Amino acid sequence: MKRTFLPILALLLAVLPLRGQMARLYTSEYGLPNTLVNDIYQDSRGFVWICTENGLARFDGMDFTTFRFSRDRADVLASNLVLTVFEDSRGVLWVGTSMGLQTFDPDNNSFHHIDLHDPESPGSTQYVSSIVEVKTGDGQSELWAATSQHGVYILDIDTHALKDERRDHLNRNLPSPFVGRIFQDSAGRVWLTGETGGLSVGASATMQRMGISFDESIRIRCFSENPASGDILLGTMEGLYVFRVSEGVIRPSADPAARSCEAVSLLHRKPLR
């Protein structure tokens, strides 16, 4: 499996005011458990979570607290290879590792394993690469967890029970069971990518696949949305692409610099108040 890592954690300014701040470089010398970083996420309490190849770090603006796997305890990380962190609308923090899906208990600094039992692959472990809360309409939502080799798991947002029927219907429309990223736009479309290429776009409520095509040889790394136009930005290793809602097609960016860059992360800048 091909993966790309960030060699260093360059900036952690999410918990600090932007004006007048100097960039600060954090490495293992400052308490970061590993400099191979897979994902960075800020929760509603202001903590910044750094998913690394050697554990999960929580940063409070001053210090790192590191969580790691231990064979002697059941309430710890399932694996030191941590891939993603996500907080749902109920305030539950989800963690995706190379050994499955977990939730974090902030009161006890412990982890709870979520059993993603797969009748087609009994005894298998799930490499959870992306976690997203997907709105399905009528104020309802679900948790979707993308995995390598096992497609997407869908869970009830409140009970955390698996929704096997919806999952089976979704996975039949995926370009590959090796899923890289999940993104939902403001129109309710869900964008799913394969780890090495391929794109599937569908309506979250009906699971009906839409006729939006993209070059399967190009690997999509990230998504973002222009809130003004509703256009979707697709970051790839071969430049930036744009899905223009008015045209219904994906085209290379009109900006020459954007077409030639390797886009691994996209952030739409919000005006400062």
Side-chain angles (χ1 to χ4, degrees):
M1 180 187 307
K2 183 180 179 181
R3 289 176 288 151
T4 302
F5 306 117
L6 302 178
I8 56 175
L9 178 59
L11 295 173
L12 271 180
L13 298 179
V15 295
L16 301 174
L18 291 178
R19 291 186 178 91
Q21 292 296 327
M22 297 292 291
R24 181 175 296 176
L25 175 67
Y26 289 94
T27 65
S28 299
E29 296 179 0
Y30 293 89
L32 192 65
N34 195 282
T35 54
L36 296 178
V37 177
N38 294 314
D39 198 11
I40 303 174
Y41 185 86
Q42 186 177 23
D43 66 23
S44 60
R45 301 170 67 186
F47 291 116
V48 176
W49 297 83
I50 304 98
C51 305
T52 83
E53 296 286 286
N54 189 32
L56 176 65
R58 182 179 64 192
F59 185 67
D60 62 6
M62 294 291 293
D63 301 304
F64 290 99
T65 299
T66 299
F67 302 93
R68 287 193 174 95
F69 167 74
S70 172
R71 297 183 183 275
D72 300 326
R73 294 178 56 184
D75 61 349
V76 296
L77 271 179
S79 167
N80 284 333
L81 175 48
V82 186
L83 301 160
T84 188
V85 166
F86 175 78
E87 184 180 19
D88 67 26
S89 59
R90 275 58 168 176
V92 177
L93 193 75
W94 298 81
V95 182
T97 77
S98 63
M99 295 296 288
L101 181 67
Q102 295 181 287
T103 57
F104 177 71
D105 178 357
D107 295 328
N108 298 301
N109 280 346
S110 60
F111 296 82
H112 173 69
H113 180 69
I114 303 297
D115 185 12
L116 300 178
H117 55 82
D118 192 332
E120 297 182 0
S121 304
S124 64
T125 58
Q126 286 76 19
Y127 186 104
V128 179
S129 56
S130 182
I131 306 169
V132 172
E133 182 174 344
V134 173
K135 298 178 181 178
T136 57
D138 298 326
Q140 303 298 311
S141 61
E142 302 167 328
L143 191 90
W144 289 23
T147 70
S148 177
Q149 190 176 356
H150 300 285
V152 176
Y153 289 84
I154 301 179
L155 294 86
D156 185 285
I157 198 68
D158 293 310
T159 67
H160 302 173
L162 292 171
K163 294 187 172 183
D164 292 326
E165 186 175 343
R166 279 180 59 77
R167 180 204 172 208
D168 291 342
H169 183 58
L170 170 65
N171 286 343
R172 285 195 294 270
N173 293 312
L174 292 179
S176 165
F178 295 83
V179 182
R181 293 291 177 187
I182 307 176
F183 173 78
Q184 185 176 33
D185 62 30
S186 61
R189 294 178 294 252
V190 179
W191 303 67
L192 301 102
T193 71
E195 284 186 348
T196 59
L199 173 67
S200 177
V201 185
S204 60
T206 64
M207 304 291 193
Q208 185 66 38
R209 189 170 181 177
M210 300 175 178
I212 300 175
S213 59
F214 188 67
D215 189 337
E216 294 187 359
S217 67
I218 299 177
R219 181 187 178 195
I220 301 171
R221 297 296 309 277
C222 51
F223 294 93
S224 186
E225 179 175 357
N226 185 327
S229 65
D231 293 345
I232 307 302
L233 308 180
L234 295 79
T236 80
M237 300 304 287
E238 300 181 33
L240 185 69
Y241 288 77
V242 182
F243 171 73
R244 300 196 181 281
V245 176
S246 60
E247 301 176 7
V249 295
I250 301 174
R251 301 186 187 279
S253 171
D255 188 319
R259 289 198 303 270
S260 62
C261 73
E262 294 183 358
V264 297
S265 182
L266 294 171
L267 177 65
H268 183 81
R269 186 178 65 181
K270 298 179 181 179
L272 295 176
R273 295 181 179 179

